[in-house]
Amino acid sequence: MFNTILLPTDGSDLSDKATATAVEFAKLHRAKIVSITVIQPLPLASMGDGGAVIDSGQFAVKMQEAARAYIDKVAAAARAADIPFEGVISVSHTPYEEIVEAAKKFDCDLIMMASHGHKGINKLLLGSQTDKVLAHTTLPVLVLR
């Protein structure tokens, strides 16, 4: 029934748990896992003259290294279970759009993603990529907590 599962990951403990669930699910369905990590570009411009200065080039390098580590962790879990795997690293201010587009591009039949379950002000400030994916895809979405 499910041939290709899209698994967004952010490297959190919750994403690691979702990876374990996705691997078991993929084994049951003999499905491929496509994992995506979306890097959000540096949101603030560097400040000069006494303000904090952030090296945007170094920030980008560190974010790419972290994203590669997240994808490599999912790849290792898939490889250990003998599951076909493909990893994607994307850069966008709107991660949910990248997730929805990756599901289309890789012809996924299911999106499995962790939800951090932010409530109140944290949800308002951090937003919910899971809620946005649910609102912008026609695919089934399995939300894991």
Side-chain angles (χ1 to χ4, degrees), residues 37-115:
T37 293
V38 182
I39 299 169
Q40 291 183 277
L42 186 63
L44 304 173
S46 297
M47 300 174 65
D49 293 351
V53 177
I54 298 171
D55 181 343
S56 60
Q58 187 165 359
F59 175 82
V61 168
K62 292 293 183 189
M63 293 305 293
Q64 282 287 336
E65 289 171 356
R68 174 57 42 210
Y70 304 158
I71 292 295
D72 287 348
K73 205 181 320 183
V74 179
R79 189 173 36 255
D82 200 27
I83 294 169
F85 174 82
E86 192 159 348
V88 178
I89 297 173
S90 184
V91 179
S92 176
H93 288 286
T94 52
Y96 79 91
E97 288 179 348
E98 295 296 318
I99 293 166
V100 170
E101 286 305 311
K104 290 177 190 172
K105 178 180 177 181
F106 291 95
D107 199 25
C108 297
D109 345 86
L110 175 69
I111 300 172
M112 292 183 78
M113 61 190 303
S115 174

